[in-house]
Amino acid sequence: MSGAGSGLGPLLACVLARELKDGEVVAFGLHAELLLAAALLAQKLHAPNLAIRHGLRVERGPEIGPAAWTDARRSHAHEGIEYLESHDAILDVANPASPMRFCDVFLVGGLQIDREGSTNLIGLKGRDGRMALRGPGSIGTTSIGTLARHVILFSPEHSRRRFVETVDYVSVPGWRRRAAAGLEGGPALCVTSIAVMDFAGGLMRLRSVHPHATADEVRRRTSFPLPPEGPVPVTLPPTAAERAALESIDPSGRLERMPIPAGGEAS
Amino acid sequence: MSGAGSGLGPLLACVLARELKDGEVVAFGLHAELLLAAALLAQKLHAPNLAIRHGLRVERGPEIGPAAWTDARRSHAHEGIEYLESHDAILDVANPASPMRFCDVFLVGGLQIDREGSTNLIGLKGRDGRMALRGPGSIGTTSIGTLARHVILFSPEHSRRRFVETVDYVSVPGWRRRAAAGLEGGPALCVTSIAVMDFAGGLMRLRSVHPHATADEVRRRTSFPLPPEGPVPVTLPPTAAERAALESIDPSGRLERMPIPAGGEAS
Amino acid sequence: MSDERAERVLDASEAAALVRDGMVVGLSGFSYQNPPMALVREIIRRRVKGLTIVSGPTSGIETDLLIGAGCVRRAVTAGVAFEQVVPMAPAFRRAAERGEIEVWECDECLWHLALKAAAWGMPYLLWRGGVGTSIPELNPDLEEVQEGGRRYLKVPARPLDIVFLHAAEADRFGNVRAARQAYLGRSFCERALALACRGPVVASVERLVPDDETLGSPERTLVRGAFVVEAPWGAHPGGTSGRYAPDLEHYAEYAAAGEARRKGDPQPYQRYLERHVYGPEDHDGYLRTIGAGRLEALRLGAA
Amino acid sequence: MSDERAERVLDASEAAALVRDGMVVGLSGFSYQNPPMALVREIIRRRVKGLTIVSGPTSGIETDLLIGAGCVRRAVTAGVAFEQVVPMAPAFRRAAERGEIEVWECDECLWHLALKAAAWGMPYLLWRGGVGTSIPELNPDLEEVQEGGRRYLKVPARPLDIVFLHAAEADRFGNVRAARQAYLGRSFCERALALACRGPVVASVERLVPDDETLGSPERTLVRGAFVVEAPWGAHPGGTSGRYAPDLEHYAEYAAAGEARRKGDPQPYQRYLERHVYGPEDHDGYLRTIGAGRLEALRLGAA
């Protein structure tokens, strides 16, 4: 298989795009070409009023491209940008009812993700209970992940060290921790390179397995049980419409060439 | 007497200009051409590093002119403006040590000004102790007048109804009210159309009387005692250097034609 | 495949119909600049009652007229300015003195802080400005507190139900922007209001512009996600930054009518309302009461 | 009569000499963009110790290098990013894991709020983001409180003693501005840092421009009242928005040296410091260690 729509990058972009709803504001970090592709794809296919908040910009671009600070991007510098602002606009996530809100749906990952959907970017504990591995830090995830209406977990890597029973530290709280803190709701979905998970009763379960993987593999690579028992649907591969749309937002096939950590150790 | 430097407007501009120090940031409202003239004069004469915050703009203009929103002003619209910002920059007065502070010295007036330098823009009480006359409101004065390093009271009108023993409501606190609230300092000076007052022991006293008035007149037009006893210096009229500078910042003689409420009833 | 973006264009009566009695309504305008007057007149025509209006921070005729027409129960503003015309806004003064409206006594900083607390989901903010003044005495909900040995005002959050503002331009998708020539500063309160709002934001604008114009200079965008109403001269008698100056003669006429009413003669103010608000069916009708020649004379010199 | 305005131009060593051991130092930079590296290297040459650095909100090599060189006791940042080069910033990771630095655990919102509280003279701000996370456990000074039945983090004010930042241009009087081509957004943290500062703000810039240029487009000014240091390529190996891209090869080289040290071999990192920091006498000397050809290759296409 080759051309627009083949490979892991295009599949993940399609899976994420299908979750973005018309009229919402989706936010993600700057170095996230795959997420930008997903958002542009949704905008093109079913969510023409999706607002895309890519770093400091509200974007409506014709295609993905290299990071905004590179020379290659330079020629498109001011194309498709609806709004620019200073970085403290992230605080505007705190009023989800304002037309100027920072976002409705937030795409977030972690060093660890646990069964109830909590994430951890802070670090890993050693046997003595102290921090043994210092993580990069919570970056923009904590407040946005707490206050945005919808959170979608995104982790290309799907491994037992990533998907743990309980995170060592909490950057963004999952279902039970949110309830304990008086916050409604919780993450809606978790997309990885091999599967899509959702939540029931505040716990993760398997929703679909990507065509190149199996349910057994997904469970082997996860440290906690993933219901339900029995057969699991296959993730819908890119449709003809999605492939055509990808062709136009990614004419040079950047998504297909994108290096994506697909697995990680299974133990 | 005629030409630049004659009349009440030029005198008041000179009196205020002399109080503005090099390196400070002076702030005042938008509809304040006389205050702009004073600031530009100080910048030209002894305070080349005075920053002038005129409404939302930090200004460094060659001359005064009609209000910024009028067509007459239009041609100079972008001349001499160092900085523009959104209105909530007034909150920046709260860090007086920042190079980005809103201001050091603030020029403020009132419906009433009392003996300790408190001002009132809120309203006047009737005999029943309730608000009988609704004032315009405290506008930008309260917080800036509380938090700026220096406050200069400016009231062209000098009358017993304006200069009262105790204000009916407090928009900006004077010396004793500030001390009671745990705030240091207090207003430094009060300039009117007939005199200059300063403060000693937290109470107003007469510093100088303008050439066209007398100390008796000033005291007659003030509801509280104005020490010291004995002769009071005459306010220095515009000097040759000040007149020359006024000539350049006000080439069309706008200050001389400016209607200034000079008195008010003396009872 | 869909590429139909939803346009966010309303007409003035659809926009005004979003207001319900008793709502907390944010209004743009600073002194004489950018009041959403076409929308305000339409709200008055609908005889809305009991509004809390959050206008300014220093407000003007949009506030005075809504009060004068009896739509307002409470005004949150640092002041209502008619500087260089009359010392005090006449309807605001009259209603406050008669106890017909409550005034939330504040200054411009407290006004901004109440909106920031709402925007950021904070129950209150502590602020040093205003300790030792009458402001905490006059507002039951604004107490003075001690914290670490210092006194602060505890400024409660003020969320808005709906916002009306006026600006130079917008695209049909709700990106509202200032004129390139808006040289008084890019933003007074538009963003502050929109961020504190938990409902719709409606902007009347001098003209709708194509999408690619707002995309071409995104730094001029003041507000995103607004409903937009095309209303040329929509701030009149106020000015629109970079487009036209306020009509101070009209202000003087309005203020004289308001002062007459304050002093006991309701006729001139009633005549003003009939002629300029209730009489005209819509904004075009209002503009005919002013006259094209007079409007054109207010236009700021072409760039 | 005087018309001599005071210029606010310093050289890098005068600027770095303003730092004292133990100060709270704000640093610009967001990931790879606009770190004040020429100034950072000069601070390291002065062997300053015990700094609390407030960088970011998401920071980069300016933070990692200061930590790696032993100048830092405490880091206030939402993260140190070397994305697309290595998973984690090596010196930050090593020092944190060895307990050589304290980290004030926060996210980008909490970082901004601590500065806003300082800028506005507030003892703290209450914020809903972060309840239910490890952040209050990890920071003794950031407690979780109840207010009106809801839980909030009580974010304490974080005033700064001095700020260093890098930008495209400034005039000699301290008006610092972004490049017209700075298309990532006009401001990351420059204003936030300057407003929270109770001491000097120092900006290194790619070039000094005449006063009339800053007067001509005041909307591009990021910060006023700064001391300015002319330092072309002053963000290298970081990028300067609108001027040049970050030198990712240099980052990879630096990261490899840092990773080697983290794993037990201090030599490569020491060599890096000798070659690029201690060895060169000044910023020009540093630029010679990189080479003009390599620098020119980073320049973003001329407008």
Side-chain angles (χ1 to χ4, degrees):
Chain A
M1 213 164 56
S2 75
S6 72
L8 193 50
L11 176 71
L12 295 182
C14 290
V15 168
L16 289 168
R18 293 167 194 158
E19 301 300 325
L20 302 176
K21 296 180 185 64
D22 198 27
E24 288 189 331
V25 184
V26 58
F28 45 84
L30 262 183
H31 304 287
E33 200 171 348
L34 176 68
L35 304 181
L36 177 59
L40 292 173
L41 191 57
Q43 217 176 47
K44 207 164 182 66
L45 287 170
H46 61 270
N49 304 295
L50 179 74
I52 304 174
R53 192 182 271 282
H54 184 200
L56 296 182
R57 318 184 297 178
V58 175
E59 205 159 333
R60 180 167 291 283
E63 54 187 75
I64 60 170
W69 36 264
T70 62
D71 201 22
R73 178 79 179 182
R74 179 76 178 66
S75 58
H76 298 290
H78 277 92
E79 275 177 25
I81 298 173
E82 292 194 330
Y83 198 68
L84 281 172
E85 58 204 325
S86 70
H87 183 268
D88 54 3
I90 52 171
L91 297 173
D92 304 340
V93 71
N95 180 0
S98 167
M100 292 279 280
R101 65 197 176 277
F102 186 77
C103 70
D104 297 299
V105 54
F106 181 55
L107 300 169
V108 62
L111 282 177
Q112 294 180 320
I113 295 172
D114 72 13
R115 199 174 178 184
E116 62 144 0
S118 288
T119 69
N120 170 21
L121 280 162
I122 294 171
L124 303 182
K125 284 185 181 173
R127 301 205 171 168
D128 59 0
R130 289 167 49 186
M131 196 180 294
L133 185 149
R134 171 68 228 188
S138 299
I139 317 281
T141 68
T142 299
S143 295
I144 304 176
T146 310
L147 299 173
R149 280 179 182 148
H150 306 294
V151 167
I152 296 177
L153 305 171
F154 177 62
S155 166
E157 178 179 327
H158 194 136
S159 64
R160 292 175 72 87
R161 69 174 185 191
R162 171 107 4 149
F163 284 88
V164 298
E165 176 71 36
T166 306
V167 292
D168 290 354
Y169 298 94
V170 182
S171 288
V172 179
W175 283 88
R176 281 181 293 191
R177 285 191 187 83
R178 288 181 64 91
L183 299 162
E184 288 174 15
L189 209 72
C190 180
V191 176
T192 76
S193 57
I194 53 176
V196 178
M197 276 80 69
D198 58 12
F199 292 83
L203 295 175
M204 211 180 273
R205 61 179 190 179
L206 197 49
R207 193 171 84 174
S208 73
V209 176
H210 298 345
H212 58 278
T214 66
D216 272 359
E217 182 189 356
V218 174
R219 291 197 174 94
R220 234 182 12 251
R221 290 187 174 186
T222 306
S223 298
F224 48 84
L226 271 182
E229 299 296 310
V232 176
V234 174
T235 307
L236 182 70
T239 64
E242 285 168 339
R243 291 168 62 110
L246 275 173
E247 193 83 72
S248 87
I249 64 170
D250 181 23
S252 59
R254 297 178 59 85
L255 279 178
E256 282 144 81
R257 296 193 307 274
M258 200 172 281
I260 295 173
E265 79 286 54
S267 62
Chain B
M1 214 164 53
S2 76
S6 72
L8 193 48
L11 176 70
L12 295 183
C14 291
V15 168
L16 288 168
R18 294 167 193 156
E19 301 299 325
L20 303 177
K21 296 181 185 64
D22 198 26
E24 287 188 331
V25 184
V26 59
F28 46 85
L30 262 183
H31 304 286
E33 199 171 347
L34 176 67
L35 304 181
L36 178 58
L40 291 173
L41 192 57
Q43 217 177 47
K44 207 166 183 67
L45 288 171
H46 61 271
N49 304 294
L50 180 74
I52 304 174
R53 192 183 271 281
H54 183 199
L56 295 182
R57 318 187 298 180
V58 176
E59 205 159 333
R60 179 167 292 282
E63 54 187 75
I64 60 172
W69 36 263
T70 62
D71 202 22
R73 179 77 178 184
R74 179 82 175 62
S75 59
H76 297 290
H78 277 92
E79 276 177 26
I81 298 173
E82 290 195 330
Y83 198 69
L84 283 170
E85 58 204 325
S86 71
H87 183 269
D88 55 3
I90 52 172
L91 297 173
D92 304 339
V93 70
N95 181 358
S98 167
M100 293 277 280
R101 65 197 176 275
F102 186 78
C103 70
D104 298 300
V105 54
F106 181 54
L107 300 169
V108 62
L111 284 176
Q112 294 180 320
I113 295 171
D114 72 12
R115 198 174 177 185
E116 62 145 1
S118 289
T119 68
N120 170 22
L121 281 162
I122 294 171
L124 302 182
K125 285 185 181 172
R127 300 207 170 168
D128 60 1
R130 289 168 47 187
M131 196 181 294
L133 185 149
R134 172 68 230 189
S138 299
I139 316 281
T141 67
T142 298
S143 295
I144 305 176
T146 309
L147 298 174
R149 279 178 181 148
H150 307 294
V151 167
I152 296 177
L153 304 171
F154 177 62
S155 167
E157 179 178 327
H158 193 136
S159 64
R160 292 175 72 89
R161 69 173 186 192
R162 171 105 6 146
F163 285 89
V164 298
E165 178 72 35
T166 306
V167 291
D168 290 355
Y169 298 95
V170 183
S171 289
V172 180
W175 282 88
R176 280 181 293 190
R177 285 191 187 83
R178 288 180 65 91
L183 299 162
E184 288 175 14
L189 209 71
C190 179
V191 176
T192 77
S193 57
I194 53 176
V196 178
M197 275 80 69
D198 59 12
F199 291 83
L203 294 175
M204 211 181 275
R205 62 179 190 180
L206 196 48
R207 192 171 85 172
S208 73
V209 175
H210 297 345
H212 59 276
T214 66
D216 272 359
E217 182 189 355
V218 175
R219 292 197 174 95
R220 229 176 22 245
R221 289 185 174 189
T222 308
S223 297
F224 48 83
L226 270 182
E229 298 296 311
V232 176
V234 174
T235 308
L236 182 69
T239 64
E242 285 168 336
R243 291 168 63 112
L246 276 171
E247 195 82 69
S248 87
I249 64 170
D250 181 22
S252 59
R254 296 177 60 85
L255 279 179
E256 282 143 81
R257 296 192 307 274
M258 199 172 282
I260 295 173
E265 79 287 53
S267 63
Chain C
M1 194 182 304
S2 159
D3 56 359
E4 282 301 301
R5 293 176 70 187
E7 297 196 348
R8 298 178 66 81
V9 181
L10 301 180
D11 67 31
S13 73
E14 290 170 314
L18 298 169
V19 182
R20 301 271 174 276
D21 290 353
M23 274 187 170
V24 182
V25 180
L27 295 167
S28 76
F30 195 92
S31 185
Y32 295 118
Q33 294 303 115
N34 309 322
M37 293 307 294
L39 296 170
V40 160
R41 283 181 291 259
E42 191 63 27
I43 291 166
I44 294 172
R45 280 181 206 115
R46 297 182 65 85
R47 318 266 171 176
V48 177
K49 298 286 171 210
L51 301 180
T52 292
I53 54 173
V54 180
S55 55
T58 287
S59 56
I61 194 166
E62 74 297 328
T63 297
D64 207 65
L65 187 65
L66 275 170
I67 293 171
C71 303
V72 177
R73 185 182 64 79
R74 197 173 195 211
V76 176
T77 172
V80 192
F82 276 64
E83 276 185 278
Q84 303 179 332
V85 174
V86 286
M88 266 167 271
F92 171 72
R93 178 175 174 187
R94 174 177 178 272
E97 290 176 2
R98 294 160 62 102
E100 291 170 1
I101 57 166
E102 284 171 52
V103 179
W104 194 67
E105 206 65 50
C106 66
D107 79 337
E108 296 182 344
C109 290
L110 297 168
W111 189 92
H112 274 296
L113 291 167
L115 293 179
K116 287 199 187 291
W120 293 341
M122 297 168 176
Y124 61 82
L125 290 171
L126 298 182
W127 176 249
R128 293 271 282 164
V131 300
T133 73
S134 299
I135 287 178
E137 288 162 34
L138 291 166
N139 299 317
D141 63 352
L142 208 165
E143 48 176 335
E144 217 176 290
V145 298
Q146 286 266 354
E147 181 74 36
R150 304 185 116 191
R151 285 161 75 179
Y152 296 88
L153 295 194
K154 192 170 173 180
V155 186
R158 171 87 56 198
L160 308 175
D161 296 317
I162 190 167
V163 167
F164 295 97
L165 60 90
H166 185 76
E169 299 171 353
D171 65 28
R172 309 179 76 82
F173 305 110
N175 293 302
V176 181
R177 64 182 195 168
R180 193 177 297 282
Q181 303 82 353
Y183 45 90
L184 272 176
R186 280 166 300 178
S187 166
F188 292 100
C189 55
E190 295 83 356
R191 293 197 64 205
L193 292 167
L195 290 170
C197 190
R198 54 191 173 194
V201 172
V202 179
S204 60
V205 296
E206 292 297 311
R207 65 179 188 121
L208 291 173
V209 297
D211 186 20
D212 55 358
E213 284 193 34
T214 50
L215 291 173
S217 47
E219 71 285 356
R220 279 168 58 198
T221 301
L222 295 172
V223 167
R224 282 174 284 116
F227 291 104
V228 295
V229 175
E230 193 169 38
W233 305 100
H236 188 274
T240 294
S241 297
R243 289 283 178 263
Y244 49 87
D247 183 345
L248 293 190
E249 279 177 51
H250 188 105
Y251 273 86
E253 185 189 324
Y254 170 83
E259 280 296 287
R261 182 162 73 153
R262 192 176 67 77
K263 289 172 176 159
D265 175 9
Q267 292 309 320
Y269 199 82
Q270 197 52 44
R271 276 200 303 275
Y272 179 93
L273 287 176
E274 288 301 334
R275 176 166 161 73
H276 294 299
V277 184
Y278 296 121
E281 203 170 291
D282 56 17
H283 182 55
D284 283 348
Y286 169 78
L287 293 181
R288 283 191 294 272
T289 71
I290 306 300
R294 179 162 174 170
L295 291 170
E296 285 301 329
L298 299 167
R299 200 187 287 280
L300 298 177
Chain D
M1 197 181 303
S2 159
D3 55 2
E4 282 301 302
R5 292 175 72 188
E7 297 195 351
R8 298 178 66 81
V9 182
L10 301 180
D11 66 31
S13 72
E14 291 170 314
L18 297 169
V19 183
R20 301 271 174 277
D21 289 354
M23 274 187 170
V24 182
V25 180
L27 296 167
S28 76
F30 195 91
S31 185
Y32 296 118
Q33 294 302 115
N34 309 321
M37 292 308 294
L39 296 170
V40 160
R41 284 182 290 260
E42 190 62 29
I43 290 166
I44 294 172
R45 281 181 205 116
R46 297 183 66 85
R47 319 266 170 173
V48 176
K49 297 286 171 213
L51 301 180
T52 292
I53 55 173
V54 181
S55 55
T58 288
S59 56
I61 195 168
E62 74 297 328
T63 297
D64 206 65
L65 188 65
L66 275 169
I67 292 170
C71 303
V72 177
R73 185 181 64 78
R74 196 174 196 210
V76 177
T77 172
V80 191
F82 276 64
E83 275 185 279
Q84 302 179 331
V85 174
V86 286
M88 264 167 273
F92 171 72
R93 178 175 174 186
R94 175 178 178 272
E97 290 176 2
R98 294 161 61 102
E100 292 170 1
I101 58 166
E102 285 171 50
V103 179
W104 194 68
E105 205 65 48
C106 65
D107 80 337
E108 296 182 344
C109 290
L110 297 168
W111 189 93
H112 274 296
L113 291 167
L115 293 179
K116 286 200 187 292
W120 294 342
M122 297 168 176
Y124 61 82
L125 290 171
L126 299 182
W127 177 248
R128 293 271 283 164
V131 300
T133 72
S134 299
I135 287 178
E137 288 162 33
L138 291 166
N139 298 317
D141 63 350
L142 209 166
E143 47 175 337
E144 216 175 290
V145 298
Q146 285 266 356
E147 181 74 37
R150 304 187 113 188
R151 284 162 77 181
Y152 295 89
L153 295 194
K154 191 169 172 181
V155 186
R158 170 87 56 198
L160 307 175
D161 296 317
I162 190 167
V163 167
F164 294 96
L165 59 91
H166 186 76
E169 298 172 351
D171 66 28
R172 309 180 75 84
F173 305 111
N175 294 301
V176 181
R177 64 183 194 167
R180 193 177 298 282
Q181 304 83 353
Y183 46 90
L184 273 175
R186 278 167 301 177
S187 166
F188 292 101
C189 56
E190 295 82 356
R191 293 197 63 205
L193 292 166
L195 290 170
C197 190
R198 54 191 173 194
V201 172
V202 179
S204 59
V205 295
E206 293 297 312
R207 65 178 190 121
L208 291 173
V209 298
D211 186 19
D212 54 359
E213 284 193 33
T214 50
L215 292 173
S217 48
E219 71 284 356
R220 279 168 59 200
T221 301
L222 295 173
V223 167
R224 282 174 284 115
F227 292 103
V228 294
V229 175
E230 194 169 35
W233 305 99
H236 188 274
T240 294
S241 297
R243 290 283 179 262
Y244 49 88
D247 183 347
L248 294 190
E249 280 178 48
H250 188 106
Y251 273 86
E253 184 189 324
Y254 169 83
E259 280 295 287
R261 181 162 73 152
R262 191 175 68 77
K263 289 172 175 158
D265 175 9
Q267 292 309 320
Y269 200 82
Q270 196 53 44
R271 275 200 303 275
Y272 180 93
L273 288 176
E274 287 302 335
R275 176 166 161 72
H276 293 300
V277 185
Y278 296 122
E281 203 171 289
D282 56 17
H283 182 55
D284 282 349
Y286 169 78
L287 294 180
R288 283 191 294 272
T289 71
I290 306 301
R294 177 163 176 169
L295 291 170
E296 285 302 327
L298 299 167
R299 200 187 288 280
L300 298 177

